[in-house]
Coordinates of all heavy atoms in Angstrom, one line a residue:
P1 N -22.0 -28.7 9.7 CA -21.0 -28.0 8.9 C -19.7 -28.9 8.7 O -19.2 -29.5 9.7 CB -20.7 -26.7 9.6 CG -21.6 -26.7 10.8 CD -22.3 -28.0 10.9
R2 N -19.2 -28.9 7.5 CA -18.0 -29.6 7.3 C -16.8 -28.6 7.0 O -17.0 -27.5 6.6 CB -18.1 -30.5 6.0 CG -19.1 -31.6 6.1 CD -19.1 -32.4 4.9 NE -19.4 -31.6 3.7 CZ -18.9 -31.9 2.5 NH1 -18.2 -33.0 2.3 NH2 -19.2 -31.1 1.5
S3 N -15.7 -29.1 7.4 CA -14.5 -28.3 7.1 C -14.3 -28.3 5.6 O -14.5 -29.3 5.0 CB -13.3 -28.9 7.9 OG -12.1 -28.2 7.5
L4 N -13.8 -27.1 5.1 CA -13.6 -27.0 3.7 C -12.4 -27.9 3.3 O -12.3 -28.4 2.2 CB -13.4 -25.6 3.3 CG -14.7 -24.7 3.4 CD1 -14.3 -23.3 3.0 CD2 -15.8 -25.3 2.5
R5 N -11.4 -28.0 4.2 CA -10.2 -28.7 3.9 C -10.0 -29.7 5.1 O -10.1 -29.3 6.2 CB -9.0 -27.8 3.8 CG -9.0 -26.9 2.6 CD -7.7 -26.2 2.5 NE -7.7 -25.3 1.4 CZ -7.2 -25.5 0.2 NH1 -6.6 -26.7 0.0 NH2 -7.2 -24.7 -0.7
S6 N -9.6 -30.9 4.7 CA -9.4 -31.9 5.8 C -8.0 -31.8 6.3 O -7.7 -32.3 7.4 CB -9.7 -33.3 5.3 OG -8.9 -33.6 4.1
T7 N -7.1 -31.2 5.5 CA -5.7 -31.1 6.0 C -5.3 -29.6 6.2 O -5.8 -28.8 5.5 CB -4.7 -31.7 4.9 OG1 -4.9 -31.0 3.7 CG2 -4.9 -33.2 4.7
P8 N -4.4 -29.4 7.2 CA -4.0 -28.0 7.4 C -3.3 -27.4 6.2 O -2.7 -28.1 5.4 CB -3.1 -28.0 8.6 CG -3.2 -29.4 9.2 CD -3.8 -30.3 8.1
V9 N -3.4 -26.1 6.0 CA -2.8 -25.4 4.9 C -1.6 -24.6 5.5 O -1.8 -23.9 6.5 CB -3.8 -24.4 4.2 CG1 -3.1 -23.6 3.1 CG2 -5.0 -25.2 3.7
D10 N -0.4 -24.7 4.9 CA 0.8 -24.0 5.3 C 0.7 -22.6 4.7 O 0.8 -22.5 3.5 CB 2.0 -24.8 4.9 CG 3.3 -24.1 5.3 OD1 3.2 -23.2 6.2 OD2 4.4 -24.5 4.8
L11 N 0.6 -21.6 5.6 CA 0.5 -20.2 5.1 C 1.8 -19.4 5.5 O 1.8 -18.2 5.4 CB -0.7 -19.5 5.7 CG -2.0 -20.1 5.3 CD1 -3.2 -19.4 6.1 CD2 -2.3 -19.9 3.8
T12 N 2.9 -20.1 5.7 CA 4.1 -19.4 6.1 C 4.7 -18.6 4.9 O 5.4 -17.6 5.2 CB 5.2 -20.4 6.6 OG1 5.4 -21.4 5.6 CG2 4.8 -21.1 7.9
E13 N 4.4 -19.0 3.7 CA 4.9 -18.3 2.6 C 3.9 -17.3 2.0 O 4.1 -16.7 1.0 CB 5.2 -19.3 1.5 CG 6.2 -20.4 1.9 CD 7.6 -20.2 1.3 OE1 7.7 -19.5 0.3 OE2 8.5 -20.9 1.8
A14 N 2.8 -17.1 2.7 CA 1.7 -16.2 2.2 C 2.3 -14.8 2.4 O 3.0 -14.5 3.3 CB 0.5 -16.4 3.0
P15 N 1.9 -13.9 1.5 CA 2.4 -12.5 1.6 C 1.8 -11.8 2.8 O 0.7 -12.1 3.3 CB 1.8 -11.8 0.3 CG 0.9 -12.8 -0.3 CD 1.1 -14.1 0.3
D16 N 2.6 -10.9 3.4 CA 2.2 -10.1 4.5 C 1.2 -9.0 4.0 O 1.6 -8.2 3.2 CB 3.4 -9.4 5.2 CG 3.0 -8.6 6.4 OD1 1.8 -8.7 6.8 OD2 3.8 -7.7 6.8
V17 N 0.0 -9.0 4.5 CA -1.0 -8.1 4.0 C -1.5 -7.2 5.2 O -2.7 -6.8 5.2 CB -2.2 -8.8 3.3 CG1 -1.8 -9.4 2.0 CG2 -2.8 -9.8 4.2
A18 N -0.6 -6.9 6.1 CA -1.0 -6.1 7.2 C -1.4 -4.7 6.8 O -2.2 -4.0 7.4 CB 0.1 -6.1 8.3
H19 N -0.8 -4.2 5.7 CA -1.0 -2.8 5.3 C -1.5 -2.8 3.8 O -0.8 -3.4 3.0 CB 0.3 -1.9 5.4 CG 0.8 -1.9 6.8 ND1 0.1 -1.6 7.9 CD2 2.1 -2.1 7.3 CE1 0.8 -1.6 9.0 NE2 2.1 -2.0 8.6
F20 N -2.6 -2.1 3.6 CA -3.1 -1.9 2.2 C -2.6 -0.6 1.8 O -2.7 0.4 2.5 CB -4.6 -1.9 2.2 CG -5.2 -3.3 2.2 CD1 -5.3 -4.0 3.4 CD2 -5.7 -3.9 1.0 CE1 -5.8 -5.3 3.4 CE2 -6.2 -5.1 1.0 CZ -6.3 -5.8 2.2
V21 N -2.0 -0.5 0.6 CA -1.5 0.8 0.1 C -2.4 1.3 -1.0 O -2.6 0.6 -2.0 CB 0.0 0.5 -0.5 CG1 0.5 1.8 -1.0 CG2 0.9 0.0 0.6
G22 N -2.9 2.5 -0.9 CA -3.7 3.1 -1.9 C -5.1 2.4 -2.1 O -5.7 2.6 -3.1
R23 N -5.5 1.7 -1.2 CA -6.8 1.0 -1.3 C -7.8 1.3 -0.1 O -8.5 0.5 0.4 CB -6.6 -0.5 -1.3 CG -5.7 -1.0 -2.4 CD -6.5 -1.1 -3.7 NE -5.6 -1.7 -4.7 CZ -5.9 -1.7 -6.0 NH1 -7.0 -1.2 -6.4 NH2 -5.0 -2.2 -6.8
V24 N -7.7 2.5 0.4 CA -8.5 2.9 1.6 C -10.0 2.7 1.3 O -10.7 2.1 2.1 CB -8.1 4.3 2.0 CG1 -9.0 4.8 3.2 CG2 -6.7 4.5 2.4
T25 N -10.5 3.2 0.2 CA -11.9 3.2 -0.1 C -12.3 1.7 -0.3 O -13.3 1.3 0.2 CB -12.2 4.0 -1.4 OG1 -11.8 5.3 -1.2 CG2 -13.7 4.0 -1.6
A26 N -11.5 1.0 -1.0 CA -11.8 -0.4 -1.3 C -11.8 -1.2 0.0 O -12.7 -2.1 0.2 CB -10.8 -1.0 -2.3
L27 N -10.8 -1.0 0.9 CA -10.8 -1.7 2.2 C -12.0 -1.4 3.0 O -12.5 -2.2 3.7 CB -9.5 -1.4 2.9 CG -9.3 -2.0 4.2 CD1 -9.3 -3.6 4.1 CD2 -7.9 -1.6 4.8
A28 N -12.4 -0.1 3.0 CA -13.6 0.3 3.8 C -14.8 -0.4 3.3 O -15.7 -0.9 4.1 CB -13.7 1.8 3.8
T29 N -15.0 -0.5 2.0 CA -16.1 -1.1 1.4 C -16.1 -2.6 1.8 O -17.1 -3.2 2.2 CB -16.1 -1.0 -0.1 OG1 -16.2 0.4 -0.5 CG2 -17.3 -1.7 -0.8
L30 N -15.0 -3.2 1.6 CA -14.8 -4.7 2.0 C -15.1 -4.9 3.4 O -15.8 -5.8 3.8 CB -13.4 -5.1 1.7 CG -13.1 -6.6 1.8 CD1 -14.0 -7.4 0.9 CD2 -11.6 -6.9 1.5
T31 N -14.7 -4.0 4.3 CA -15.0 -4.1 5.8 C -16.5 -4.0 6.0 O -17.0 -4.8 6.8 CB -14.2 -3.0 6.5 OG1 -12.8 -3.2 6.3 CG2 -14.5 -3.1 8.0
Q32 N -17.2 -3.1 5.3 CA -18.6 -3.0 5.5 C -19.3 -4.3 5.0 O -20.3 -4.7 5.6 CB -19.1 -1.8 4.7 CG -18.8 -0.5 5.3 CD -19.4 0.7 4.4 OE1 -19.8 0.5 3.3 NE2 -19.3 1.9 5.0
W33 N -18.9 -4.8 3.9 CA -19.5 -6.0 3.4 C -19.4 -7.2 4.3 O -20.3 -8.0 4.5 CB -18.9 -6.4 2.0 CG -19.2 -5.5 0.9 CD1 -20.2 -4.6 0.8 CD2 -18.6 -5.6 -0.4 NE1 -20.2 -4.0 -0.4 CE2 -19.3 -4.6 -1.2 CE3 -17.6 -6.3 -1.0 CZ2 -18.9 -4.3 -2.5 CZ3 -17.3 -6.1 -2.3 CH2 -17.9 -5.1 -3.1
I34 N -18.2 -7.3 4.9 CA -17.9 -8.4 5.8 C -18.7 -8.3 7.1 O -19.3 -9.2 7.7 CB -16.4 -8.6 6.1 CG1 -15.7 -9.1 4.8 CG2 -16.1 -9.6 7.2 CD1 -14.2 -9.0 4.8
S35 N -18.6 -7.1 7.7 CA -19.2 -6.9 9.0 C -20.7 -6.5 9.0 O -21.4 -6.7 10.0 CB -18.5 -5.7 9.7 OG -18.7 -4.5 9.1
G36 N -21.2 -6.1 7.9 CA -22.6 -5.8 7.8 C -22.9 -4.4 8.3 O -24.0 -4.1 8.7
T37 N -21.9 -3.5 8.4 CA -22.2 -2.1 8.9 C -22.0 -1.2 7.7 O -21.2 -1.5 6.8 CB -21.1 -1.7 10.0 OG1 -19.8 -1.9 9.5 CG2 -21.3 -2.5 11.3
P38 N -22.8 -0.2 7.6 CA -23.9 0.3 8.5 C -25.0 -0.7 8.5 O -25.0 -1.7 7.7 CB -24.3 1.6 7.9 CG -23.9 1.5 6.5 CD -22.7 0.7 6.4
A39 N -26.0 -0.5 9.3 CA -27.1 -1.4 9.5 C -27.9 -1.7 8.3 O -28.5 -2.8 8.2 CB -28.1 -0.9 10.6
T40 N -27.8 -0.9 7.2 CA -28.5 -1.1 6.0 C -27.8 -2.2 5.1 O -28.4 -2.6 4.1 CB -28.7 0.2 5.2 OG1 -27.3 0.7 4.9 CG2 -29.5 1.2 5.9
V41 N -26.6 -2.6 5.5 CA -25.8 -3.5 4.7 C -25.9 -4.9 5.3 O -25.6 -5.0 6.5 CB -24.4 -3.1 4.5 CG1 -23.6 -4.1 3.7 CG2 -24.3 -1.7 3.8
S42 N -26.3 -5.9 4.6 CA -26.3 -7.3 5.2 C -24.9 -7.8 5.1 O -24.2 -7.6 4.1 CB -27.3 -8.2 4.5 OG -28.6 -7.7 4.6
P43 N -24.4 -8.6 6.1 CA -23.1 -9.2 6.0 C -23.1 -10.2 4.8 O -24.1 -10.9 4.5 CB -23.0 -10.0 7.3 CG -24.0 -9.5 8.2 CD -25.1 -8.9 7.3
C44 N -22.0 -10.2 4.0 CA -21.9 -11.1 2.9 C -21.3 -12.4 3.4 O -20.5 -12.5 4.3 CB -20.9 -10.5 1.9 SG -21.5 -9.0 1.1
R45 N -21.8 -13.5 2.8 CA -21.3 -14.8 3.2 C -20.1 -15.2 2.3 O -19.4 -16.1 2.7 CB -22.4 -15.8 3.0 CG -23.6 -15.5 4.0 CD -24.7 -16.5 4.0 NE -24.2 -17.7 4.4 CZ -24.9 -18.8 4.5 NH1 -26.2 -18.8 4.2 NH2 -24.4 -19.9 4.9
L46 N -20.0 -14.6 1.1 CA -18.9 -14.9 0.2 C -18.5 -13.7 -0.5 O -19.3 -13.0 -1.1 CB -19.3 -16.0 -0.7 CG -18.3 -16.4 -1.8 CD1 -17.1 -17.1 -1.2 CD2 -19.0 -17.3 -2.9
I47 N -17.2 -13.4 -0.5 CA -16.6 -12.3 -1.3 C -15.5 -12.9 -2.1 O -14.6 -13.5 -1.5 CB -16.2 -11.2 -0.4 CG1 -17.4 -10.6 0.4 CG2 -15.5 -10.1 -1.2 CD1 -17.0 -9.6 1.5

């Protein structure tokens, strides 16, 4: 496996996304896709 970037990326200016506002359903769906839960959902490799 190769690193996608050879140089570090500065994320100090990236927005704070600790809290999603009004996106509870979308966040739950995204969490299921990433983690592969429930058992009937396969984890996604790219979203």
Side-chain angles (χ1 to χ4, degrees):
R2 294 185 303 151
S3 172
L4 294 178
R5 294 183 181 264
S6 57
T7 57
V9 177
D10 180 15
L11 296 176
T12 56
E13 306 251 342
D16 179 16
V17 291
H19 303 308
F20 280 78
V21 178
R23 304 275 186 195
V24 176
T25 305
L27 182 58
T29 301
L30 186 59
T31 302
Q32 286 179 350
W33 288 350
I34 293 170
S35 66
T37 55
T40 58
V41 177
S42 298
C44 292
R45 296 182 66 178
L46 175 67
I47 297 172

